Amino acid sequence: MHLTNADLHSHSNVSDGTLTPEDLAARAHAKGVQLWSLTDHDELGGQERACSTALALGMDYLSGTEISVSFAGETVHIVGLGFDAADATLQAGLATTRGGRLQRARDMAAGLASVGIEGAFEGALRYVSNPDLISRTHFARYLVDSGVCTDTHSVFRRYLTQGHPGFVPHSWARLGDAVRWITQAGGVAVIAHPARYRFTPTEEYALITEFIAHGGQGMEVMTGSHSHSEQVKYADTALEFGLLASRGSDFHSPTESRVELGSLPDLPGKLRPVWDALQHRIQRAHRSASQTTAA
Ligand code: AMP
Ligand code: MN
Ligand code: MN
Ligand code: MN
């Protein structure tokens, strides 16, 4: 059987990745990805550049985004795939979702200043290509480069997570709204990296059942932040709830990301890949005879 090397979760510098959409497309293609999606946080600004570069390279493309949602006191990420990127309701929903980021960043900087770290807002902004999308990742890069911490993971642990001085609670989109923006634009909604949420089993059950009730259809099983046992657990969960399974590295940067584009294990054969249900939404590259391999 011919398995598609699909990578349906990655970030460019239009959100908190470090590569441009063009360079990310080129890297995905070089790493063997055959079906790719750029899923910048709360933002579609890189979609056209990503899609046109992918198609020119001979790589198929699905539109993508990763929406920040507040659910049961936790931030949950919902990936949208294969939607119409020109959809006005989706665009307006994403604009509202990212709208509070600048003020949040100022409040984060004030929290950091209270423990003696001055100038973090201006510092983080220097790492930002799209000011609408200033994120904790940009603060983390600034705090590493200015010598406060040795790596981005320890910045999150010491400063940017709940209970630490640079953490600011934030109200993101509602689960039902995010799912509907995606599905009403013709796409499929996917629960991103389900193992990363600090939920009790009851809260996780509520997330999955409410997500499905709102029209959500997919779950990431193979993602850069899942351990082997988490891959196994969420393969079973996807099967149990009849969800389509997705695969995506969540690649952000050649120096920061542990998992390379296109390098995760294939989905277990018992699962239905999300791209099976999105065949009609895939933008297909017109391959020359030399680029086409037998299926
Ligand atoms: P934000 O949307 O501003 O809250 O930033 C969230 C982003 O921070 C995520 O998309 C990840 O890219 C990054 N992130 C979250 N937790 C960590 C962590 N522990 N280590 C490194 N990066 C993280
Ligand atoms: Mn990110
Ligand atoms: Mn995420
Ligand atoms: Mn992501």
Side-chain angles (χ1 to χ4, degrees), residues 28-94:
H29 181 249
K31 299 294 179 186
V33 174
Q34 295 164 303
L35 173 62
W36 177 53
S37 183
L38 172 66
T39 54
D40 277 318
H41 298 283
D42 309 322
E43 172 65 89
L44 303 178
Q47 291 301 305
E48 270 185 39
R49 293 158 66 193
C51 182
S52 59
T53 311
L55 299 187
L57 288 165
M59 184 166 62
D60 292 344
Y61 190 77
L62 275 170
S63 60
T65 187
E66 181 177 18
I67 306 181
S68 312
V69 160
S70 296
F71 183 87
E74 175 81 79
T75 299
V76 167
H77 285 168
I78 300 295
V79 163
L81 297 170
F83 48 77
D84 170 11
D87 185 87
T89 308
L90 172 62
Q91 287 187 353
L94 294 180

Side-chain angles (χ1 to χ4, degrees), residues 11 16 41 252:
H11 299 273
D16 61 348
H41 298 283
H252 282 70

Side-chain angles (χ1 to χ4, degrees), residues 99 128 153 156 177 208 221 230 232:
V128 167
H153 194 72
F156 274 89
D177 289 339
I208 298 171
V221 171
E230 289 165 346
V232 172

